[in-house]
Amino acid sequence: FYAGALTSAFGTVPASDEQTIIGTNPGSEILTRFSSPSLATDAVQFRVASLKRNAIEHLVSLSDLMILTNSAIFVLRAQGGITPTNVEIKSRSYVGASHVQPAVSDNAVLYAASRGGHLYELRYSEESGGHIVTDLCRLAPHLFDGHTVRDMTYQEAPYPILWVVRDDFKLLSCAYNPRLQVIAWHQHETDGVVESIAVIPESNRDVLYALVKRTIGGATREYLIIEYAP
């Protein structure tokens, strides 16, 4: 699947149409062939209809396909495989997502809000019979109010940790284990500023890599800092 301006590379959807999703023919990454009458193997193209302009920022596959736009969150469902005639799209939240790549943990999507600077958890709730959105920063608003999220990444092993870089280049982390009802934020201090982060699997654990800019001896350089892994 492709969303928004990305689809313009195929010459099918204008780059300005940011609310459109296109799916290629099964088994192909580039073919967008259609038939008349339509077939189950046709490419699909549809627009997320809403009262607001909702530029699609991310598509995340869970049990359903989650559509994260800058103004709202939608869920795409279909009986069996997605075909041109069986797609259903419904709104689930009006807390939109920013351009920062979201993280997936278990059956939840962790994403940065397009406004307000907070991070949210999008998860299916059996009690409510649908997807719900929870503010992950509600117990530590002082770390996020007045800021935005610059970068984020998720570490699964040995412990589940969500790492975040704020717009002022400060590094934050969240011990995240919803099964044990654990959500605990920390702020990490280092010489210089953290520009970007990534988690890379190594052996039996995930290792955090951080690009840090430091001024040493009057010279400013970028350093790749690797999380200590005993």
Side-chain angles (χ1 to χ4, degrees), residues 23-26 30-35 39 41-44 84:
T24 61
N25 299 92
I30 59 173
L31 292 179
T32 54
R33 294 175 178 170
F34 300 88
S35 305
L39 302 174
T41 55
D42 282 349
V44 294

Side-chain angles (χ1 to χ4, degrees), residues 73-158:
I73 307 299
F74 298 86
V75 59
L76 183 151
R77 288 178 174 167
Q79 295 295 327
I82 296 176
T83 71
T85 59
N86 71 344
V87 170
E88 179 185 43
I89 300 177
K90 291 186 176 181
S91 61
R92 283 293 176 264
S93 170
Y94 287 96
V95 180
S98 76
H99 67 279
V100 176
Q101 184 69 29
V104 177
S105 172
D106 194 8
N107 196 34
V109 180
L110 312 179
Y111 71 93
S114 58
R115 297 179 299 279
H118 284 213
L119 290 101
Y120 289 83
E121 174 196 67
L122 173 65
R123 178 183 294 275
Y124 184 82
S125 170
E126 294 286 351
E127 293 79 7
S128 63
H131 293 83
I132 59 173
V133 170
T134 304
D135 187 351
L136 292 177
C137 308
R138 63 189 184 280
L139 299 180
H142 61 286
L143 295 177
F144 297 91
D145 289 350
H147 294 282
T148 58
V149 173
R150 174 184 174 89
D151 198 7
M152 62 184 286
T153 188
Y154 183 70
Q155 181 179 27
E156 292 185 357

Side-chain angles (χ1 to χ4, degrees), residues 126-205:
E126 294 286 351
E127 293 79 7
S128 63
H131 293 83
I132 59 173
V133 170
T134 304
D135 187 351
L136 292 177
C137 308
R138 63 189 184 280
L139 299 180
H142 61 286
L143 295 177
F144 297 91
D145 289 350
H147 294 282
T148 58
V149 173
R150 174 184 174 89
D151 198 7
M152 62 184 286
T153 188
Y154 183 70
Q155 181 179 27
E156 292 185 357
Y159 308 106
I161 299 175
L162 179 65
W163 295 92
V164 175
V165 178
R166 260 182 356 202
D167 58 348
D168 58 355
F169 304 97
K170 294 291 186 179
L171 179 65
L172 310 176
S173 69
C174 176
Y176 175 79
N177 194 329
R179 296 180 184 273
L180 299 179
Q181 298 182 340
V182 173
I183 298 177
W185 285 99
H186 327 87
Q187 182 169 331
H188 303 265
E189 298 294 339
T190 186
D191 293 335
V193 296
V194 180
E195 295 189 309
S196 63
I197 51 177
V199 164
I200 300 176
E202 295 186 5
S203 186
N204 63 342
R205 61 166 291 156

